[in-house]
PDB file of all heavy atoms in Angstrom:
ATOM      1  N   HIS A 267      -0.633  15.366 -20.175  1.00  0.00           N
ATOM      2  CA  HIS A 267       0.533  14.848 -20.878  1.00  0.00           C
ATOM      3  C   HIS A 267       0.270  13.547 -21.580  1.00  0.00           C
ATOM      4  O   HIS A 267      -0.509  12.747 -21.114  1.00  0.00           O
ATOM      5  CB  HIS A 267       1.693  14.576 -19.842  1.00  0.00           C
ATOM      6  CG  HIS A 267       2.212  15.794 -19.150  1.00  0.00           C
ATOM      7  ND1 HIS A 267       2.939  16.766 -19.791  1.00  0.00           N
ATOM      8  CD2 HIS A 267       2.064  16.157 -17.828  1.00  0.00           C
ATOM      9  CE1 HIS A 267       3.236  17.773 -18.943  1.00  0.00           C
ATOM     10  NE2 HIS A 267       2.717  17.428 -17.708  1.00  0.00           N
ATOM     11  N   ALA A 268       0.957  13.383 -22.748  1.00  0.00           N
ATOM     12  CA  ALA A 268       0.834  12.137 -23.488  1.00  0.00           C
ATOM     13  C   ALA A 268       1.651  11.047 -22.697  1.00  0.00           C
ATOM     14  O   ALA A 268       2.617  11.396 -21.969  1.00  0.00           O
ATOM     15  CB  ALA A 268       1.459  12.277 -24.838  1.00  0.00           C
ATOM     16  N   PRO A 269       1.193   9.805 -22.752  1.00  0.00           N
ATOM     17  CA  PRO A 269       1.932   8.735 -22.056  1.00  0.00           C
ATOM     18  C   PRO A 269       3.409   8.659 -22.445  1.00  0.00           C
ATOM     19  O   PRO A 269       4.292   8.524 -21.570  1.00  0.00           O
ATOM     20  CB  PRO A 269       1.197   7.423 -22.457  1.00  0.00           C
ATOM     21  CG  PRO A 269      -0.160   7.836 -22.912  1.00  0.00           C
ATOM     22  CD  PRO A 269       0.041   9.239 -23.519  1.00  0.00           C
ATOM     23  N   MET A 270       3.711   8.803 -23.725  1.00  0.00           N
ATOM     24  CA  MET A 270       5.122   8.725 -24.197  1.00  0.00           C
ATOM     25  C   MET A 270       5.266   9.344 -25.485  1.00  0.00           C
ATOM     26  O   MET A 270       4.454   9.179 -26.432  1.00  0.00           O
ATOM     27  CB  MET A 270       5.489   7.187 -24.331  1.00  0.00           C
ATOM     28  CG  MET A 270       6.928   6.948 -24.627  1.00  0.00           C
ATOM     29  SD  MET A 270       7.336   5.163 -24.841  1.00  0.00           S
ATOM     30  CE  MET A 270       7.306   4.559 -23.111  1.00  0.00           C
ATOM     31  N   GLU A 271       6.300  10.223 -25.532  1.00  0.00           N
ATOM     32  CA  GLU A 271       6.678  10.884 -26.796  1.00  0.00           C
ATOM     33  C   GLU A 271       8.176  10.668 -27.021  1.00  0.00           C
ATOM     34  O   GLU A 271       8.998  10.808 -26.147  1.00  0.00           O
ATOM     35  CB  GLU A 271       6.411  12.403 -26.771  1.00  0.00           C
ATOM     36  CG  GLU A 271       4.942  12.733 -26.573  1.00  0.00           C
ATOM     37  CD  GLU A 271       4.659  14.259 -26.529  1.00  0.00           C
ATOM     38  OE1 GLU A 271       5.675  15.026 -26.673  1.00  0.00           O
ATOM     39  OE2 GLU A 271       3.552  14.639 -26.356  1.00  0.00           O
ATOM     40  N   LEU A 272       8.623  10.323 -28.250  1.00  0.00           N
ATOM     41  CA  LEU A 272      10.028  10.088 -28.539  1.00  0.00           C
ATOM     42  C   LEU A 272      10.287  11.054 -29.713  1.00  0.00           C
ATOM     43  O   LEU A 272       9.640  11.173 -30.744  1.00  0.00           O
ATOM     44  CB  LEU A 272      10.213   8.621 -28.980  1.00  0.00           C
ATOM     45  CG  LEU A 272       9.890   7.634 -27.898  1.00  0.00           C
ATOM     46  CD1 LEU A 272      10.129   6.159 -28.378  1.00  0.00           C
ATOM     47  CD2 LEU A 272      10.794   7.843 -26.646  1.00  0.00           C
ATOM     48  N   TYR A 273      11.416  11.701 -29.534  1.00  0.00           N
ATOM     49  CA  TYR A 273      11.899  12.783 -30.424  1.00  0.00           C
ATOM     50  C   TYR A 273      13.117  12.346 -31.216  1.00  0.00           C
ATOM     51  O   TYR A 273      14.166  12.023 -30.703  1.00  0.00           O
ATOM     52  CB  TYR A 273      12.192  14.066 -29.755  1.00  0.00           C
ATOM     53  CG  TYR A 273      11.109  14.425 -28.677  1.00  0.00           C
ATOM     54  CD1 TYR A 273      11.395  14.611 -27.332  1.00  0.00           C
ATOM     55  CD2 TYR A 273       9.786  14.553 -29.116  1.00  0.00           C
ATOM     56  CE1 TYR A 273      10.382  14.895 -26.373  1.00  0.00           C
ATOM     57  CE2 TYR A 273       8.774  14.873 -28.227  1.00  0.00           C
ATOM     58  CZ  TYR A 273       9.052  15.024 -26.838  1.00  0.00           C
ATOM     59  OH  TYR A 273       8.037  15.291 -25.936  1.00  0.00           O
ATOM     60  N   GLY A 274      12.879  12.178 -32.574  1.00  0.00           N
ATOM     61  CA  GLY A 274      13.953  11.726 -33.416  1.00  0.00           C
ATOM     62  C   GLY A 274      14.551  12.858 -34.280  1.00  0.00           C
ATOM     63  O   GLY A 274      13.904  13.919 -34.345  1.00  0.00           O
ATOM     64  N   GLU A 275      15.609  12.546 -34.952  1.00  0.00           N
ATOM     65  CA  GLU A 275      16.278  13.569 -35.740  1.00  0.00           C
ATOM     66  C   GLU A 275      15.441  13.976 -37.004  1.00  0.00           C
ATOM     67  O   GLU A 275      15.584  15.010 -37.520  1.00  0.00           O
ATOM     68  CB  GLU A 275      17.654  13.020 -36.176  1.00  0.00           C
ATOM     69  CG  GLU A 275      18.628  12.847 -35.065  1.00  0.00           C
ATOM     70  CD  GLU A 275      19.940  12.302 -35.541  1.00  0.00           C
ATOM     71  OE1 GLU A 275      19.947  11.553 -36.610  1.00  0.00           O
ATOM     72  OE2 GLU A 275      20.980  12.416 -34.873  1.00  0.00           O
ATOM     73  N   ALA A 276      14.508  13.026 -37.351  1.00  0.00           N
ATOM     74  CA  ALA A 276      13.667  13.375 -38.538  1.00  0.00           C
ATOM     75  C   ALA A 276      12.230  13.637 -38.187  1.00  0.00           C
ATOM     76  O   ALA A 276      11.413  13.947 -39.058  1.00  0.00           O
ATOM     77  CB  ALA A 276      13.767  12.237 -39.522  1.00  0.00           C
ATOM     78  N   GLY A 277      11.817  13.397 -36.937  1.00  0.00           N
ATOM     79  CA  GLY A 277      10.414  13.537 -36.551  1.00  0.00           C
ATOM     80  C   GLY A 277      10.136  13.075 -35.147  1.00  0.00           C
ATOM     81  O   GLY A 277      11.047  12.713 -34.453  1.00  0.00           O
ATOM     82  N   THR A 278       8.843  13.163 -34.789  1.00  0.00           N
ATOM     83  CA  THR A 278       8.389  12.824 -33.421  1.00  0.00           C
ATOM     84  C   THR A 278       7.384  11.668 -33.546  1.00  0.00           C
ATOM     85  O   THR A 278       6.518  11.677 -34.507  1.00  0.00           O
ATOM     86  CB  THR A 278       7.709  14.016 -32.719  1.00  0.00           C
ATOM     87  OG1 THR A 278       8.800  15.038 -32.541  1.00  0.00           O
ATOM     88  CG2 THR A 278       7.115  13.632 -31.454  1.00  0.00           C
TER      89      THR A 278
END
Side-chain angles (χ1 to χ4, degrees):
H267 297 288
M270 184 181 287
E271 298 179 1
L272 298 177
Y273 312 124
E275 292 176 337
T278 293

